[in-house]
Amino acid sequence: MRLTRLILAASILGLWSCNQNQPAPTPVPTSAEPHRPAFHFSPPEKWMNDPNGMVYYEGEYHLFYQYYPDSTVWGPMHWGHAVSKDLVRWEHLPIALYPDSLGLIFSGSAVVDRNNTSGFGQNGQPPLVAIFTHHNMLAEKQGKLPWQYQSIAYSNNKGRTWTKYAGNPVMPNPHPAFRDFRDPKVVWDAGSKQWVMALAVGDHIQLWGAPNLKNWSHLSNFGKTWGAHGGVWECPDLFPITLEGTQEQRWVLLKSLNPGGPNGGSGTQYFVGNFDGRQFVPDPDFLPSIAPEGSGRAVWLDYGRDNYAGVTWSDVPAADGRRLFIGWMSNWDYAQVVPTETWRSAMTLPRVLTLRKTPAGPRLFSEPVKELETLRGKKTTLAAQTIEGALELPDLSPQPLELMLEIEPTPGATFAIELSNSKGETYRIGYEAAKRQFFSDRTRSGKTTFSEAFARNVHTAPRMTDQGQIKLHLFFDRASAELFADNGATAMTEVFFPNEDYSKIRLVASGGQVKLVKGEAFELSLR
Ligand code: FRU
């Protein structure tokens, strides 16, 4: 949370109550506006930030989001709402939660209360319960702590309407109060038979437990001496996950950090460990070389500049078993000034997180959900060959496109996938063998001057694995690129804003040859 955002919102206080009867926003045709993504979730209009309240219930994935319906910059927060049956095609629904006398509606989560522990259920049906932060802007403006506390709301009609609990806030900010006390993410822990909430508290995460989503007790704290601390900790997520190929269950604690991300500004890091119903403790094999005290090292979920505040879906059926993630595809460094006119920002593609053993310890791998294959149209197969210099791909248009390449660069070679347009603007993403790193270069990608922080340098990500051949799985969607390298061991998510959509794609080898072992591409469209 940035002070500028708060000051801005303070100046527009009082506006929020006029939105109550607003109809559902009308979807805008995707191709009509420059930079509007074709298949990423974006709000029909106005400002969006974090994904919130993601929960699966009766065949629908719910996606709520931080939303300000009166402007394209951050302001008094509501929860916007959309549902999807396949995580790809979204139906926009009316705003779910409006600010009220307790404050603005900041980030949080939602769960299916299967055993009706909250008592909000009706007619034998479990309620959906949303747990969110109330942010009291007036108290903040007057400098009167506390101004953040947790509240709940419930729905008995598949999330179509929500009732705020009369006993809010359910978790007041303790005394002495914390400035940052927000973004509750709740999970049912079968082991300790309680709801467990992970909460971001400035420079650490607090865990709280409750039998009924209403009466919360403090369990433990984690993180003051772990991971990166370049900024404020936000949007945590604590969840169990099986270590692939074993019967071992581990716990992952995800959290976002702003600023202090791997390439500057906002970023998301995580820890792998154990949770015993009270405390989260990182596993010794997670960061083997680092003593818990004073560890400044972080393990990042995504090295691109544009994947922030992401968390995972609650209540995905056991038969499916996936841990599904989505993030906000922007960065607080420039989110409010990106050059889109009627709306701001999109979400990342939905991803599956898996925990796999690597030489560095257990690591999360990010891969696009298989439902995205339903977007595939015309397929192009690239012939295996050795690339020296530039290989034009005249049959392919990069907007939008899915590309899968397997390459073997010589030791000094740099390999780039280069998108360009008739204005000579280029975006490059690829791999530099000598440094063993992936890179994303948007320095000449088009509109870049709206923020000095946007295209200051080339962004990089270390290669995580030691396998010889490099697998690149990419998605391009007008204003974004997502790279899932080596089966998801390294992810990079980046946005860009060309003055005209990119229309050409080339594979470029410099400093040495690159063997293209395999290549496939699919045109993508939302049908
Ligand atoms: C993260 C964040 C959250 C907060 C929300 C407010 O981007 O700052 O910590 O709840 O945005 O919109």
Side-chain angles (χ1 to χ4, degrees):
M1 173 54 43
R2 289 257 162 112
L3 195 61
T4 43
R5 276 194 277 155
L6 297 180
I7 292 166
L8 172 79
S11 63
I12 37 187
L13 263 184
L15 286 183
W16 69 58
S17 52
C18 14
N19 299 318
Q20 297 278 352
N21 300 317
Q22 212 180 254
T26 329
V28 179
T30 53
S31 58
E33 298 163 282
H35 316 305
R36 175 70 84 169
F39 59 91
H40 284 74
F41 179 82
S42 60
E45 56 172 7
K46 309 299 182 188
W47 171 264
M48 173 178 86
N49 57 289
D50 314 357
N52 294 151
M54 289 117 73
V55 63
Y56 179 87
Y57 185 59
E58 295 201 346
E60 293 178 327
Y61 294 95
H62 290 262
L63 172 61
F64 301 87
Y65 50 92
Q66 288 286 278
Y67 187 48
Y68 181 38
D70 291 334
S71 175
T72 50
V73 293
W74 192 90
M77 285 288 113
H78 301 55
W79 273 25
H81 190 195
V83 287
S84 172
K85 290 188 167 47
D86 64 0
L87 293 161
V88 178
R89 295 160 184 85
W90 293 96
E91 179 192 346
H92 294 287
L93 293 178
I95 290 169
L97 295 172
Y98 287 81
D100 56 41
S101 59
L102 289 174
L104 316 181
I105 315 296
F106 272 20
S107 287
S109 50
V111 294
V112 181
D113 182 11
R114 292 197 190 281
N115 297 322
N116 195 22
T117 61
S118 61
F120 295 141
Q122 279 174 9
N123 309 321
Q125 295 299 311
L128 288 178
V129 180
I131 308 96
F132 56 90
T133 298
H134 257 129
H135 179 93
N136 187 327
M137 193 67 96
L138 289 177
E140 179 177 30
K141 211 177 156 201
Q142 293 160 359
K144 280 194 198 143
L145 279 167
W147 50 70
Q148 294 187 343
Y149 25 76
Q150 320 321 316
S151 293
I152 57 179
Y154 60 93
S155 169
N156 300 113
N157 57 4
K158 297 181 74 179
R160 284 347 187 237
T161 57
W162 292 81
T163 307
K164 289 184 188 129
Y165 175 50
N168 282 340
V170 288
M171 211 174 102
N173 197 325
H175 180 78
F178 297 100
R179 288 180 63 88
D180 302 295
F181 192 67
R182 61 173 177 271
D183 307 340
K185 179 73 164 68
V186 172
V187 63
W188 175 257
D189 176 30
S192 59
K193 296 191 182 57
Q194 63 180 335
W195 296 104
V196 174
M197 176 196 292
L199 197 68
V201 190
D203 62 354
H204 67 283
I205 301 302
Q206 295 195 355
L207 301 180
W208 291 67
N212 55 4
L213 296 162
K214 293 173 180 163
N215 301 106
W216 293 94
S217 349
H218 179 245
L219 298 172
S220 60
N221 295 345
F222 169 78
K224 270 186 195 285
T225 57
W226 281 90
H229 281 271
V232 67
W233 285 28
E234 303 185 310
C235 300
D237 189 1
L238 176 71
F239 56 85
I241 191 166
T242 305
L243 183 62
E244 201 176 73
T246 74
Q247 304 286 326
E248 283 174 48
Q249 187 190 262
R250 306 276 182 113
W251 285 78
V252 167
L253 183 59
L254 272 188
K255 53 134 286 244
S256 286
L257 171 72
N258 181 57
N263 279 291
S266 315
T268 301
Q269 62 177 315
Y270 66 90
F271 307 89
V272 179
N274 185 39
F275 174 67
D276 62 3
R278 197 179 64 82
Q279 215 169 354
F280 173 81
V281 179
D283 285 338
D285 65 349
F286 173 62
L287 286 178
S289 58
I290 290 180
E293 290 309 311
S295 154
R297 251 187 37 189
V299 179
W300 302 101
L301 188 69
D302 192 312
Y303 280 82
R305 290 270 270 152
D306 299 296
N307 181 356
Y308 192 61
V311 289
T312 64
W313 258 274
S314 183
D315 293 277
V316 174
D320 177 321
R322 291 177 297 175
R323 184 49 65 175
L324 298 169
F325 169 96
I326 204 165
W328 175 44
M329 196 157 61
S330 198
N331 190 309
W332 280 118
D333 270 1
Y334 43 75
Q336 304 197 74
V337 292
V338 295
T340 54
E341 273 176 23
T342 59
W343 87 101
R344 276 220 172 90
S345 80
M347 295 300 177
T348 67
L349 287 179
R351 299 154 186 212
V352 185
L353 303 183
T354 40
L355 188 67
R356 298 184 189 152
K357 281 186 186 160
T358 78
R363 291 291 180 269
L364 281 180
F365 283 56
S366 301
E367 287 166 295
V369 297
K370 65 176 184 320
E371 286 88 336
L372 289 162
E373 292 175 12
T374 62
L375 297 171
R376 288 178 178 174
K378 192 180 123 203
K379 178 178 173 178
T380 303
T381 304
L382 307 180
Q385 59 195 288
T386 297
I387 305 174
E388 276 186 284
L391 172 69
E392 308 271 347
L393 301 175
D395 297 339
L396 291 184
S397 161
Q399 298 305 346
L401 191 77
E402 179 182 1
L403 187 63
M404 282 161 285
L405 304 175
E406 288 180 34
I407 57 163
E408 275 175 20
T410 47
T414 294
F415 176 74
I417 298 137
E418 184 192 272
L419 313 188
S420 61
N421 60 18
S422 69
K423 295 185 183 303
E425 296 166 345
T426 55
Y427 171 71
R428 297 168 75 247
I429 185 162
Y431 182 71
E432 198 179 343
K435 293 191 178 156
R436 290 184 50 77
Q437 67 185 18
F438 300 95
F439 66 87
S440 163
D441 180 356
R442 61 184 181 192
T443 55
R444 292 183 297 272
S445 59
K447 298 168 194 160
T448 57
T449 53
F450 53 87
S451 160
E452 181 274 321
F454 183 73
R456 203 186 277 146
N457 50 14
V458 176
H459 308 139
T460 60
R463 188 168 191 222
M464 297 294 180
T465 66
D466 256 336
Q467 308 149 9
Q469 229 167 57
I470 295 162
K471 275 190 176 178
L472 305 170
H473 191 176
L474 290 132
F475 288 81
F476 299 112
D477 185 6
R478 297 193 85 195
S480 64
E482 275 152 291
L483 167 65
F484 305 95
D486 297 322
N487 299 317
T490 301
M492 277 192 105
T493 305
E494 298 252 315
V495 298
F496 40 72
F497 304 93
N499 282 294
E500 166 195 293
D501 280 352
Y502 297 129
S503 49
K504 276 199 287 187
I505 180 164
R506 308 196 303 170
L507 306 183
V508 185
S510 51
Q513 296 177 337
V514 174
K515 202 191 273 178
L516 177 65
V517 180
K518 202 173 165 195
E520 272 179 5
F522 292 93
E523 284 175 8
L524 301 179
S525 70
L526 203 54
R527 282 176 297 266

